[in-house]
Amino acid sequence: MIHVCFGLHDATGHYSKFMGTTMLSLFENCNTTPPVNHGAHSA
């Protein structure tokens, strides 16, 4: 099992799309088991 943690503080909304793209790539390219994504968000 692969655990991935993303820390995010995105007041302008410009970084969230890159995090989403990275998560999608992990799900599409992980051939063994699905990754477990953890998100830590600061408002």
Side-chain angles (χ1 to χ4, degrees):
M1 185 176 303
I2 300 170
H3 287 265
V4 181
C5 182
F6 294 97
L8 179 65
H9 176 76
D10 192 11
T12 61
H14 295 280
Y15 184 76
S16 296
K17 62 183 175 184
F18 299 114
M19 189 177 86
T21 302
T22 303
M23 290 173 63
L24 177 63
S25 179
L26 283 168
F27 283 118
E28 288 182 341
N29 295 304
C30 189
N31 296 326
T32 55
T33 60
V36 178
N37 291 305
H38 305 275
H41 184 269
S42 173

